[in-house]
Amino acid sequence: MTRHFLTDLDLSPAEQAEVLDLAAAMKADRYGYRTYAGPQGTGSKTVAIIFDKTSTRTRVSFAAGVADLGGNPLIINPGESQLGHKESVADTVRVLERMVHTVVWRTYAQAGLAEMARYSSVPVINALSDDYHPCQLLADLLTVREHHGRTAGLTLAYLGDAANNMANSYLLAGVTAGMHVRVAGPDGFLPGETVVAAARERAQATGGSVLVTTSAADALDGADVLATDTWVSMGQEDEKSDRAEVFRPYAIDEAALATAAPGAIVLHCLPAYRGQEISAGVIDGPQSVVWDEAENRLHAQKAIMHWLMDASGLLAEPGEPSPSGRRA
């Protein structure tokens, strides 16, 4: 069965831990895994990386990651394919699956990703949708592991627009990793009941917990990890000034950091707007790990690509050597 990575819940707690272990191994041995290298003496396998939204970290990390794994990254920019306007998602992926070994898509509607996966015999990866950002969370959890030595039992506080894709993924991936996840935002900007219920159900199996609140103080108190995101996502630029007023009490600044646990680390998926959701003193300060977090997109995404290929039985073609994908 082909495995896909569309939401954070597509990995069980044990599988998430496997992927994070693999990401750490790949970071220690950057060129040691050849997931997309063809049989000896032949060309490399191709990964289609489709962008409906602009990107810096996603574009660079996936392109570099596929190359590190011995493959060929095929970048498809907005307007460069028939996908979604002249051709259906299902028909597009029926073509792609015969030419590439993985499809990565940064898009808008989660429904499009679900449709693509339904018709695809190769792994489909959500590189960001309006609802979830699961690849970012793998990078974040890898970063937490590196700086705190573990994820289980730690408290993570996410502040700001708690109705966006990052809040959803922090809830789902955080509790999968056994964390106590607190999400704080103003009324009208809190996660939907379906996501919260799914996070609470997963937390029962991992020992994690969920708190959704309008109180920034309650979320921050003694937290081991602080996280935020821009208050103005793509398509919300006209609301910038209004949003700034609503979200200002949820900024991560020096006063907010002072209420967290000693040794707390600060995450931001970037791009960051200093003086808005995060102060310059915090993001550029000693407790910020955002640059490690950004780098870890590379290692985490290499790991999920490799893991999905392996779990789908696609790591080695018939007649190829050992399916480990690792260089001998």
Side-chain angles (χ1 to χ4, degrees):
M1 181 183 73
T2 304
R3 293 292 299 271
H4 307 287
F5 190 48
L6 309 184
T7 83
D8 308 86
L9 293 183
D10 284 336
L11 297 177
S12 70
E15 289 171 341
Q16 184 195 73
E18 286 179 19
V19 173
L20 293 174
D21 288 343
L22 180 58
M26 287 182 161
K27 186 171 184 176
D29 185 12
R30 179 167 174 175
Y31 303 105
Y33 294 78
R34 311 299 293 165
T35 310
Y36 295 114
Q40 189 171 6
T42 69
S44 59
K45 299 171 184 176
T46 298
V47 174
I49 310 172
I50 307 169
F51 290 94
D52 292 343
K53 294 186 176 185
T54 58
S55 166
T56 298
R57 279 150 296 281
T58 299
R59 180 182 301 269
V60 175
S61 56
F62 267 113
V66 171
D68 285 357
L69 295 172
N72 172 49
L74 173 62
I75 305 293
I76 303 174
N77 291 310
E80 291 183 349
S81 77
Q82 315 292 358
L83 175 61
H85 51 98
K86 290 186 178 179
E87 187 171 57
S88 69
V89 172
D91 285 356
T92 297
V93 79
R94 285 183 174 116
V95 173
L96 290 177
E97 68 177 0
R98 292 170 177 244
M99 302 181 187
V100 307
H101 287 77
T102 303
V103 179
V104 178
W105 193 9
R106 180 179 174 95
T107 188
Y108 294 90
Q110 185 72 20
L113 283 155
E115 182 180 2
M116 180 173 281
R118 189 159 57 249
Y119 290 96
S120 179
S121 62
V122 300
V124 175
I125 296 174
N126 178 1
L128 178 143
S129 71
D130 288 344
D131 292 336
Y132 305 102
H133 200 353
C135 288
Q136 180 66 58
L137 261 292
L138 290 178
D140 289 9
L141 293 172
L142 178 61
T143 307
V144 172
R145 273 186 169 202
E146 289 175 342
H147 289 272
H148 279 308
R150 71 190 198 282
T151 57
L154 296 178
T155 297
L156 182 151
Y158 172 85
L159 275 67
D161 185 351
N164 69 6
N165 51 7
M166 286 303 301
N168 290 344
S169 280
Y170 272 119
L171 281 167
L172 299 179
V175 296
T176 298
M179 302 183 80
H180 303 292
V181 183
R182 304 171 182 169
V183 171
D187 280 325
F189 297 93
L190 296 173
E193 292 180 5
T194 301
V195 172
V196 174
R200 287 188 168 134
E201 181 178 356
R202 176 60 61 92
Q204 290 178 356
T206 64
S209 66
V210 171
L211 172 67
V212 176
T213 178
T214 57
S215 169
D218 287 350
L220 287 165
D221 185 28
D224 304 292
V225 181
L226 309 186
T228 190
D229 186 19
T230 176
W231 294 336
V232 183
S233 298
M234 295 178 193
Q236 299 172 338
E237 290 80 6
D238 292 344
E239 306 170 31
K240 183 175 181 179
S241 59
D242 292 337
R243 281 176 163 260
E245 277 306 307
V246 172
F247 290 120
R248 200 165 305 283
Y250 301 90
I252 294 183
D253 54 18
E254 287 80 356
L257 185 56
T259 68
I265 60 174
V266 177
L267 301 171
H268 192 307
C269 64
L270 303 175
Y273 298 89
R274 290 166 173 79
Q276 295 289 314
E277 73 275 5
I278 193 166
S279 71
V282 170
I283 194 171
D284 298 322
Q287 289 171 267
S288 169
V289 296
V290 299
W291 314 117
D292 293 342
E293 178 189 8
E295 177 194 342
N296 282 338
R297 288 288 298 277
L298 171 68
H299 311 300
Q301 288 163 186
K302 286 169 63 176
I304 191 61
M305 287 188 286
H306 182 100
W307 191 91
L308 289 170
M309 287 286 286
D310 193 12
S312 301
L314 301 172
L315 199 55
E317 302 290 349
E320 285 187 25
S322 170
S324 70
R326 196 172 187 282
R327 182 179 57 209

